[in-house]
Amino acid sequence: MEAQNNLNAYIEQSVRENWERLALTDFKGSSFQYRDVARKVAKLHLLFEHAGIKPGDKIALCGKNSAQWAIAAIASLTYGTVAVPILHDFKADNVHHLVCHSEAKLFFVDSSTWENLDHDNMPRLEGAILINDYSLLFSRNKRLTQARENLNKIFGERYPERFTPEDVVYRRPEPGELALINYTSGSTGFSKGVMLSYGAMWSNIQYSIDGLDFLLPGDGMVCMLPLAHMFGLTIELLHPFVKGCHIFFLTRTPSPKVIMDAFAEVKPKLIVAVPLIIEKIVKTKVFPLLDKPLMKMLMHVPFVDDHLLGKIKDRLESTFGGQLKELIIGGAGLNKDVETFLRRIAFPYTVGYGMTECGPLIAYAPWDKQRPGSCGKIVDRMEMRVDSPDPANQAGVLWVKGANVMQGYYKNDDATAAVFDKDGWMNTGDICNVDADGYLYIRGRDKSMILGPSGQNIYPEEIEQMLNNMPYVAESLIVDKDNKLVALIYPDIENASRQGMSMEQIEEQMRQNIQKLNPELPAYSQIADFKIFQEEFEKTPKRSIKRYLYQH
């Protein structure tokens, strides 16, 4: 692709060049070619124009992943309005608050979300549009109502011959113009509206174009992450869209079975996923095989182990559709046992690192240059520094600066001032080491770090990762109670009950796990007590545990 320093120029070029190709498909549902997307975007632009919506006005979107959601987002960006994606898992009062807080004038929403909302609680909204078919759910704007009723007529008058690639001309905003407000749902507190410019969005897309050059026009992509999340929106929608790829949306909660079916059909070259999904696949499909006595014995026989591992790698690759060039894991670190195993079979995976505030990219390395435990090197057009006299050996807080970084938090100067210093560096809130070659190793969140009895830094995430590898542990949290470390554990109850274990036996197993783990830990970070939870911990949409709910 020729270099264009504008996101909308890339979208326009892709639509024109891939006119007849398939662009967006709801898995097991309807499909749209690039030309269909262009027509729908043109109609939405006319709707905005006739309703008096101007560039810079806010347009909120809330619904499950779908082709129509993607088209509405593309229409907002290419018109120059500010898109406000809202996660559909948010509760009704939260959605009301975010629509009001963002000052959205229009609201694209799906029916299951809308039925729980009340437009009286969103008084500044001029109209709501159903994502499924762009019909009007309600309107306080006469011009909007009339434009929607006469949209086909208006479209026919604007394009009297026929709608051609030459008719696709999108606005070119300045790099500093606001493109998007994305409300975070952090694991440490309440939503803040991250303001991302067109320049930041372009920088993320440009890095994906340069760094993931194996993805070609016509290639299939399965979009699993929420589109209202920056990883989903940037890496799984906008980046493949500007490359002319064919993007599939799962449209329902991605269970392992739904995901496997999609991989088998789409045969993606690139997969982006959170660790949880990959760990589930490896732990259920591979580890039980390796645990069989004969397998354990054969794995110690030279040559045979290579042959067996090759077979397991083939089996795993076919699980992902058989065409995989790279699996990018983001959102959190990967379980150590799973990572060690994937490296042993030379599986093409890598761990990326980012945050909403950087739209989202901060660090990445291709799978063949990746290092164990690392999340890669700082991406192009970005700089980093670590608050530590010796970052290789002494972890410190990571600060970043550059093209990807947000403009600040919307209508929240205090929160903005809290993360930026006077020179424009932004505090990520993550603690890391950096090796001599510039590879980043995230140790944990600054906010979740626990101070040990003699001032030692304890990173609960590291202890949790070890504990999660113990028998029958599904997930865990390490919290500080009266200067003692307590493990909150949600056991793998399903697996344990299949083995005929009672709750007493599960509890005894957890006690043994901790007795086994403690000698591996420094004295100041050993676990003093544990508590069993019957339900999994509450998560953010990114699948991080909401730590703040359990810290008291």
Side-chain angles (χ1 to χ4, degrees), residues 248-398:
F248 290 77
F249 303 100
L250 298 177
T251 69
R252 67 194 102 149
T253 309
S255 69
K257 181 177 179 346
V258 171
I259 292 168
M260 295 304 157
D261 290 351
F263 288 161
E265 187 173 313
V266 179
K267 301 184 172 23
K269 286 185 186 172
L270 173 69
I271 292 171
V272 186
V274 291
L276 208 68
I277 289 174
I278 305 311
E279 286 164 10
K280 252 188 188 154
I281 291 169
V282 174
K283 281 179 174 175
T284 55
K285 297 248 174 207
V286 180
F287 284 1
L289 276 178
L290 297 176
D291 265 352
K292 292 185 173 153
L294 179 63
M295 275 296 244
K296 277 185 171 166
M297 188 180 77
L298 290 172
M299 289 303 280
H300 292 295
V301 181
F303 305 116
V304 175
D305 62 343
D306 287 348
H307 179 68
L308 282 174
L309 287 171
K311 281 211 166 339
I312 289 167
K313 182 183 179 182
D314 291 345
R315 180 172 169 175
L316 198 54
E317 283 184 340
S318 70
T319 302
F320 291 109
Q323 302 287 320
L324 188 66
K325 291 267 194 286
E326 186 164 276
L327 165 67
I328 301 177
I329 294 163
L334 191 58
N335 172 298
K336 270 207 172 67
D337 283 0
V338 172
E339 179 161 23
T340 305
F341 169 74
L342 291 177
R343 288 192 77 79
R344 191 171 170 196
I345 63 170
F347 194 77
Y349 84 96
T350 186
V351 177
Y353 161 64
M355 60 196 298
T356 307
E357 286 83 347
C358 291
L361 298 178
I362 296 175
Y364 163 85
W367 76 272
D368 51 353
K369 294 187 171 65
Q370 179 68 340
R371 294 186 178 176
S374 167
C375 56
K377 299 162 107 164
I378 194 86
V379 298
D380 299 346
R381 295 171 293 281
M382 290 281 282
E383 303 171 73
M384 66 172 177
R385 69 160 214 253
V386 179
D387 276 357
S388 162
D390 177 13
N393 300 304
Q394 201 177 322
V397 175
L398 174 69

Side-chain angles (χ1 to χ4, degrees), residues 190-260:
F190 301 101
S191 294
K192 296 190 286 280
V194 172
M195 296 191 286
L196 292 165
S197 68
Y198 277 90
M201 302 277 290
W202 166 81
S203 179
N204 273 279
I205 298 295
Q206 188 63 52
Y207 186 81
S208 308
I209 290 169
D210 297 339
L212 303 167
D213 55 3
F214 53 82
L215 209 60
L216 303 172
D219 284 345
M221 178 94 188
V222 179
C223 179
M224 288 189 287
L225 302 174
L227 284 172
H229 197 271
M230 287 317 297
F231 261 106
L233 183 64
T234 307
I235 313 301
E236 291 189 313
L237 170 61
L238 294 174
H239 146 247
F241 188 88
V242 302
K243 285 183 173 173
C245 298
H246 181 190
I247 304 153
F248 290 77
F249 303 100
L250 298 177
T251 69
R252 67 194 102 149
T253 309
S255 69
K257 181 177 179 346
V258 171
I259 292 168
M260 295 304 157

Side-chain angles (χ1 to χ4, degrees), residues 89-100:
D89 312 4
F90 281 175
K91 304 267 189 298
D93 54 354
N94 209 341
V95 175
H96 290 145
H97 168 67
L98 298 183
V99 169
C100 293

